[in-house]
Amino acid sequence: MKKRIILIALFNTALFLAQTDTTKVKIPYDGMDQTWQNGSDRRTNSVLNSKYFTGSVMIDANYTHSFNNPIDNTVVGSTALARNNEMQVSSANLGGEFNYEGARGKIMMQFGTRSTVIPRNDYSVYRGQYQLDNVYRYLSEAYAGYHFNKWYGINVDAGMFMSYIGLNSYYQVENWEYQASFTSDNTPWFFNGLRLQIFPTKKLKIEGWLINGWQSYGKFNNMPGIGGNITWCPNEAVKLLTNDYYGTDAAGLPKRIRFHSDNSLLVRYFNQPKSKGISKAAFSSTFDIGFESGDGVRGFNGDAVTPSQYFISGMVYNRIWFQSNKLAWTIGGGFMTNPGRYLVLYPTGDASPLPNPNNPTQTAGTHPFSANPGDEFKGWDCSTNFDFMPNQSITFRVEYVHREANVPYFAGSGGVTSPNGYTTTVLPSDWKPDLVKMENRILFAILFRI
């Protein structure tokens, strides 16, 4: 009887979705200017646009200098930057979106340093075989699905898609700042699984996820991650969103659950687009709270036996546009506290922990950065930048960044690789990575998109 009821319910749902209204296609947020939003496409139209395909090409080239002057030129604690004092192609993306009578698909290839920097943070690939970090490393997005023309649209997609958690976009050309604050840099950029997007009204999106885990190509345990997003734009000057996640993402610890809530408010409080002075002004704010609990830790109010393991962070940015939106100045920053360090990006080079073959929940290596229950990590950052945008396809950016942590974390002058900075050097027994508590850097970036 129960099976019959479930089958009837599924049939009715499929029938409801199939009854598409072909007379008029309703578009979410139609007529609303969202090009000002942090983490959004600032273009008003796409050059590579046709009936069935919309192409996209993005190139992110940068040069950054750390005033710590690490001998090996390695950047620590960033998913956007990889090398100091060198011109780098951080990301080169090529792909687009396809659609045909409701069928839809998107693929975005990624090349450059991000194809190494991002996969290295995923330890789910050590469960099983087939080197998932190499299989997927050249993909930033790849999914297929179907669009149902109900309300303002219903999309069902399967594959790899952007996570939204942390507000900032994965693509730097869409962000107000280049080096993301701790809140965004330590939360996921992508999910691998299923996504359901529902637009019941023009101004509202409700989205659900059934995924492998927290920015993981595979699964750490048997339970999939679940979560969702709600985005509401009451008008084109305000955006509110929440992202929430629940899963088990500690290798070999299936009873340790993770919960995370990410919440943002964006407000455009001034808009005179043709003004030669100030043409636009807006701010974005994000607050995150989460925890892990079980298998030896608890979220809050921990003790010596079961330490606290939680994540609290926030960031605020203000941006002012000038000269009919050709110039822009941004200032802001944020903070993070993460006892247990379960979301902290491990320092790169020899300081990075490697999987312990005898225990997948621990790490080994000559000088691992500890992430034991109760290990403290607190950090804060601030930055300011100036953008020159002669047209909607190019941005020239100069940015100054200051970051601090309560423990040695950033690359110092001695670097994190070896005494002379080369990976081919045999390490002396008394050598260790040079990690310091503070870093100041300046960076220059050219961000291209059509």
Side-chain angles (χ1 to χ4, degrees):
M1 185 67 180
K2 289 183 179 179
K3 290 183 178 179
R4 184 179 179 185
I5 293 174
I6 292 172
L7 288 173
I8 292 173
L10 290 174
F11 175 79
N12 289 335
T13 301
L15 182 63
F16 170 74
L17 293 175
Q19 292 174 346
T20 56
D21 178 6
T22 59
T23 60
K24 183 178 181 181
V25 176
K26 297 180 179 179
I27 302 174
Y29 314 117
D30 188 27
M32 303 173 83
D33 177 18
Q34 297 184 306
T35 61
W36 61 271
Q37 295 173 0
N38 193 4
S40 296
D41 188 352
R42 72 178 183 86
R43 299 173 303 163
T44 57
N45 57 74
S46 174
V47 176
L48 305 175
N49 190 24
S50 66
K51 182 178 181 180
Y52 301 114
F53 174 72
T54 301
S56 183
V57 177
M58 289 178 279
I59 299 174
D60 171 2
N62 70 68
Y63 176 93
T64 184
H65 171 75
S66 168
F67 290 94
N68 291 340
N69 287 304
I71 192 173
D72 59 354
N73 285 3
T74 301
V75 176
V76 162
S78 174
T79 61
L81 301 166
R83 307 274 296 186
N84 291 295
N85 303 324
E86 300 172 357
M87 194 69 199
Q88 295 291 307
V89 177
S90 179
S91 186
N93 301 94
L94 175 67
E97 299 179 61
F98 302 82
N99 67 87
Y100 178 73
E101 295 184 354
R104 55 191 246 121
K106 182 174 184 179
I107 183 168
M108 288 298 297
M109 306 294 293
Q110 69 171 8
F111 305 95
T113 58
R114 289 201 112 184
S115 64
T116 296
V117 170
I118 299 300
R120 73 177 173 84
N121 297 317
D122 177 16
Y123 286 87
S124 74
V125 299
Y126 295 106
R127 185 188 188 199
Q129 299 186 32
Y130 306 121
Q131 294 183 293
L132 296 183
D133 53 339
N134 287 329
V135 170
Y136 290 123
R137 73 181 329 126
Y138 298 111
L139 295 172
S140 59
E141 295 179 77
Y143 59 81
Y146 196 81
H147 172 81
F148 297 93
N149 188 22
K150 277 290 180 183
W151 298 312
Y152 279 80
I154 298 175
N155 301 321
V156 181
D157 302 311
M160 189 184 304
F161 50 89
M162 298 289 95
S163 76
Y164 321 122
I165 294 180
L167 181 65
N168 277 24
S169 168
Y170 180 74
Y171 306 112
Q172 300 296 351
V173 70
E174 297 183 340
N175 295 327
W176 291 356
E177 81 283 9
Y178 192 94
Q179 172 55 58
S181 183
F182 281 114
T183 297
S184 283
D185 228 9
N186 291 269
T187 49
W189 292 120
F190 68 86
F191 288 145
N192 198 3
L194 299 173
R195 175 179 68 180
L196 171 66
Q197 295 179 319
I198 301 174
F199 298 87
T201 74
K202 176 181 174 179
K203 302 177 180 180
L204 177 65
K205 179 182 75 170
I206 302 172
E207 183 167 312
W209 315 317
L210 181 64
I211 54 183
N212 288 343
W214 182 272
Q215 190 168 290
S216 58
Y217 295 126
K219 289 197 296 185
F220 288 98
N221 299 293
N222 293 328
M223 174 187 166
I226 57 175
N229 162 272
I230 299 175
T231 300
W232 181 48
C233 297
N235 55 62
E236 71 172 34
V238 177
K239 181 178 183 179
L240 288 137
L241 61 95
T242 180
N243 301 280
D244 298 281
Y245 173 84
Y246 177 88
T248 58
D249 300 279
L253 297 174
K255 294 181 180 179
R256 181 175 295 181
I257 61 97
R258 175 181 300 173
F259 172 77
H260 195 96
S261 181
D262 166 78
N263 308 278
S264 295
L265 167 67
L266 296 88
V267 177
R268 188 188 65 195
Y269 56 89
F270 183 84
N271 188 38
Q272 296 290 336
K274 295 182 180 181
S275 171
K276 295 301 182 181
I278 295 177
S279 51
K280 192 164 21 183
F283 75 82
S284 71
S285 61
T286 299
F287 176 76
D288 282 31
I289 185 169
F291 63 86
E292 287 194 332
S293 182
D295 275 327
V297 301
R298 67 177 68 176
F300 302 92
N301 301 318
D303 53 34
V305 179
T306 53
S308 295
Q309 194 133 302
Y310 62 85
F311 183 93
I312 294 178
S313 74
M315 63 181 193
V316 177
Y317 288 90
N318 190 79
R319 185 169 174 90
I320 300 175
W321 291 257
F322 307 89
Q323 293 291 309
S324 301
N325 303 327
K326 301 288 187 183
L327 307 173
W329 171 57
T330 300
I331 186 169
F335 73 94
M336 178 183 79
T337 180
N338 185 209
R341 304 177 182 177
Y342 66 94
L343 291 184
V344 175
L345 298 172
Y346 293 124
T348 54
D350 190 68
S352 292
L354 300 174
N356 183 337
N358 299 316
N359 187 342
T361 69
Q362 296 180 355
T363 55
T366 56
H367 299 88
F369 184 77
S370 67
N372 301 313
D375 284 355
E376 282 196 355
F377 187 91
K378 296 179 180 179
W380 70 273
D381 60 88
C382 60
S383 66
T384 186
N385 67 40
F386 184 80
D387 286 352
F388 172 48
M389 301 166 287
N391 59 53
Q392 67 176 5
S393 292
I394 193 78
T395 298
F396 299 91
R397 177 170 295 172
V398 57
E399 181 169 296
Y400 180 83
V401 184
H402 173 83
R403 299 194 292 173
E404 287 193 25
N406 69 321
V407 296
Y409 178 69
F410 307 102
S413 59
V416 296
T417 305
S418 71
N420 62 8
Y422 286 85
T423 58
T424 54
T425 301
V426 177
L427 299 179
S429 60
D430 61 347
W431 181 86
K432 63 179 182 180
D434 182 17
L435 297 178
V436 297
K437 294 184 178 181
M438 184 177 68
E439 137 178 303
N440 293 292
R441 70 170 56 253
I442 189 169
L443 64 91
F444 305 88
I446 300 176
L447 307 169
F448 171 82
R449 181 178 197 170
I450 58 170

